[in-house]
Amino acid sequence: MARQITPAKRLFDIILAALLALLLAPVIVSIAIALLISQGRPVLFRSERMKTPDQPFDLWKFRTMRPAPDDGTGVSGGDKTDRITPLGHVLRRTRADELPQLYNILRGDLSLVGPRPPLRSYVERFPDLYAEVLQSRPGVTGLATLVFAQHEARLLATARTPAETDAIYVRRCIPRKARLDLIYAKRRSLLLDLRIIGQTLRLVLTR
């Protein structure tokens, strides 16, 4: 497998993630307190994702759903909509639920920009595809996130069962996201990363 990340990109990630963590610390603490008051514990949600085809890590988010012990799937479709809390809807719309992933960046699990980290089950079902996609270190945002995330959410919102969610995600989401992730891999540069980060921030602020 090709190197996931260059030293320059890793240094850029560390510096920017540390600055964002300092600047957004009051926001992060305020969200945590609001979640604790409105939803109780746990405040954070942990999900196993894959950094490479054979290296998992724990991805952290603010919890936006009511817990369901029998929920064995990680992709959110229409079958899970009724579990999203009122505050969870706000956090998801603004992507503030992903602020804890600054910790993942500092640990080296994620980059700021790259393909979204997949679930183990999809990596095992499509090993050849993810062997290519995960040549880039997974990221908090990326080309596929900018171009396809809102359309993906609309597609998955039509699902009414976990099986429907999985079928839609496999047939209509994974191939398109992978194509965009591979385009990014061929063209990645610091300038492209800065453009993607800037466009992501613009989208977040307009929401």
Side-chain angles (χ1 to χ4, degrees):
M1 175 176 288
R3 182 163 54 179
Q4 278 200 327
I5 191 168
T6 64
K9 182 173 171 65
R10 177 63 184 144
L11 181 61
F12 173 75
D13 284 341
I14 292 172
I15 292 172
L16 191 51
L19 287 173
L20 288 172
L22 288 173
L23 290 172
L24 297 175
V27 176
I28 294 170
V29 172
S30 297
I31 291 173
I33 293 172
L35 287 171
L36 185 62
I37 293 171
S38 63
Q39 299 178 182
R41 298 176 184 273
V43 168
L44 296 176
F45 172 75
R46 181 180 64 184
S47 175
E48 184 193 63
R49 300 298 174 104
M50 302 304 288
K51 178 178 175 180
T52 70
D54 56 2
Q55 185 178 2
F57 72 97
D58 289 329
L59 179 78
W60 293 96
K61 292 186 177 185
F62 282 122
R63 182 168 67 87
T64 59
M65 288 185 175
R66 293 189 299 275
D70 59 342
D71 180 10
T73 62
V75 178
S76 296
D79 58 301
K80 297 184 180 181
T81 300
D82 61 347
R83 287 175 46 209
I84 303 175
T85 64
L87 181 53
H89 278 289
V90 176
L91 295 179
R92 284 177 170 232
R93 186 171 67 250
T94 60
R95 295 195 65 184
D97 62 319
E98 297 183 5
L99 286 174
Q101 289 168 39
L102 291 171
Y103 170 72
N104 285 119
I105 295 172
L106 293 172
R107 272 180 48 89
D109 301 321
L110 293 176
S111 178
L112 280 161
V113 180
R116 287 300 289 162
L119 293 161
R120 180 191 293 270
S121 60
Y122 293 117
V123 174
E124 291 175 346
R125 287 164 67 179
F126 306 102
D128 293 339
L129 178 64
Y130 282 109
E132 291 188 74
V133 169
L134 293 177
Q135 288 186 32
S136 300
R137 181 164 298 182
V140 175
T141 187
L143 184 61
T145 302
L146 284 177
V147 174
F148 192 67
Q150 291 189 46
H151 184 57
E152 176 183 315
R154 288 193 293 269
L155 289 173
L156 295 175
T158 65
R160 292 295 173 262
T161 67
E164 285 184 22
T165 298
D166 180 74
I168 291 171
Y169 189 71
V170 167
R171 289 198 312 265
R172 305 183 66 181
C173 299
I174 287 179
R176 299 184 195 185
K177 291 167 68 175
R179 282 197 293 271
L180 291 164
D181 288 332
L182 294 177
I183 289 172
Y184 166 76
K186 291 178 181 178
R187 302 180 180 179
R188 61 185 171 188
S189 65
L190 180 58
L191 180 59
L192 179 57
D193 282 3
L194 288 170
R195 290 180 61 186
I196 290 173
I197 292 169
Q199 290 183 43
T200 300
L201 289 173
R202 180 177 60 82
L203 286 174
V204 168
L205 292 174
T206 57
R207 295 177 187 176

